[in-house]
Amino acid sequence: MLKDGLSASMMCVNFMDTKTDIEKLERAQIEYMHFDIMDGEFVSNYALGPCMINSIRKGTNIGVDIHLMVEHPERKIEYFDLREGDVVSVHVETTPHLRKVLQDLKARGVTVGVAINPSTLEEKLKYVLDILDFVLIMTVNPGFAGQKMVSISLEKIRDVRKYLDGHNGSHIKIQVDGNVSVENAIKMKQAGADNFVCGTAGLFKKDMDIVTAASIMRNALQECC
Ligand code: DX5
Ligand code: ZN
């Protein structure tokens, strides 16, 4: 099961001093490190990869959350040294073999999610609901940090929550990713989000320490609903 709480978007760390940022994430008791894997194909950007995950996980016990923004994830998952309890999401838009890739991940003890772009209908999830742990709703167009939330996002979170609840999926969690500022996170939670991927908008801010930003985010989410 995906834990409720905060996932730190690792493409937003200070790559010149990753260790310091990870120590701060530990102090802030962040639930997961969220690794955006981008292949320059499904999204035009490139980011992160298995080497980085392998080397970082040696130095911390924070949970690993891998967001595969790549074409044909079924051909790529073998390159990841996955452990039981790791979290992995694949985009429904990237594979005709969605069920197979999710089954293969499950067989490795992984908590599995399907990520959906802002314009993707929740009905696409129908035939994998029985093996799904969570849905990742992109609240920006995928590929880049620092964007504004897509305007239909809150309506979409409500629609997905309703769809899951109406199809025996009340246990399936919702993760949101993109422009998760304190202000947006409160509205996202009220709409039905459970886990919040925090990047430049919520955690890695120019004018605030990571530990302080995390505590402000957590308090706001606790108090709002
Ligand atoms: C967007 C990425 C996000 C991003 C979120 O494609 O998946 O993880 O880093 O961070 P901000 O807060 O910068 O939108
Ligand atoms: Zn992501």
Side-chain angles (χ1 to χ4, degrees):
M1 195 203 277
L2 181 76
K3 288 185 224 161
D4 292 357
L6 310 182
S7 293
S9 178
M10 298 303 284
M11 68 183 284
C12 303
V13 299
N14 175 8
F15 291 114
M16 295 297 281
D17 193 4
T18 311
K19 196 165 188 270
T20 302
D21 277 5
I22 289 169
E23 283 163 5
K24 288 179 181 170
L25 296 177
E26 284 173 343
R27 245 183 293 144
Q29 298 183 304
I30 293 292
E31 276 71 19
Y32 297 102
M33 299 178 289
H34 178 92
F35 293 92
D36 284 310
I37 315 297
M38 301 187 188
D39 64 352
E41 197 58 43
F42 174 59
V43 290
S44 55
N45 203 359
Y46 292 89
L48 315 188
C51 304
M52 184 192 188
I53 300 172
N54 291 347
S55 101
I56 286 180
R57 79 184 316 163
K58 282 187 195 134
T60 179
N61 289 322
I62 305 176
V64 167
D65 164 16
I66 301 172
H67 177 189
L68 292 172
M69 303 159 109
V70 303
E71 288 294 345
H72 298 295
E74 69 278 6
R75 297 180 200 161
K76 315 284 168 61
I77 56 170
E78 65 177 289
Y79 300 112
F80 292 83
D81 177 18
L82 299 171
R83 314 257 172 95
E84 205 161 330
D86 284 355
V87 171
V88 177
S89 54
V90 298
H91 271 266
V92 66
E93 303 88 359
T94 58
T95 175
H97 305 292
L98 186 65
R99 194 168 174 95
K100 179 168 189 330
V101 68
L102 295 176
Q103 279 172 344
D104 289 349
L105 288 166
K106 276 253 161 192
R108 292 166 75 174
V110 166
T111 296
V112 297
V114 170
I116 53 174
N117 277 346
S119 58
T120 300
L121 293 173
E122 57 274 15
E123 280 82 5
K124 295 256 180 193
L125 304 169
K126 184 169 177 189
Y127 295 112
V128 292
L129 285 177
D130 58 318
I131 50 171
L132 208 54
D133 295 302
F134 72 101
V135 179
L136 185 167
I137 301 178
M138 286 306 307
T139 46
V140 296
N141 290 311
F144 296 89
Q147 304 181 75
K148 284 264 156 295
M149 180 171 73
V150 170
S151 61
I152 47 82
S153 297
L154 300 174
E155 179 189 347
K156 178 153 192 171
I157 297 166
R158 281 192 291 273
D159 287 348
V160 172
R161 185 70 271 162
K162 201 169 151 193
Y163 181 78
L164 296 175
D165 291 345
H167 290 79
N168 293 323
S170 301
H171 60 286
I172 300 174
K173 302 275 185 171
I174 293 181
Q175 182 179 53
V176 281
D177 188 3
N179 195 207
V180 180
S181 60
V182 170
E183 195 191 1
N184 287 340
I186 291 170
K187 294 180 195 154
M188 289 165 170
K189 185 171 181 195
Q190 286 164 344
D194 306 293
N195 179 285
F196 301 80
V197 177
C198 299
T200 59
L203 204 53
F204 300 94
K205 293 160 82 90
K206 284 197 188 97
D207 55 351
M208 200 184 284
D209 182 72
I210 292 171
V211 182
T212 312
S215 127
I216 292 174
M217 179 67 78
R218 244 187 242 290
N219 290 340
L221 288 171
Q222 256 160 27
E223 281 163 21
C224 76
C225 39

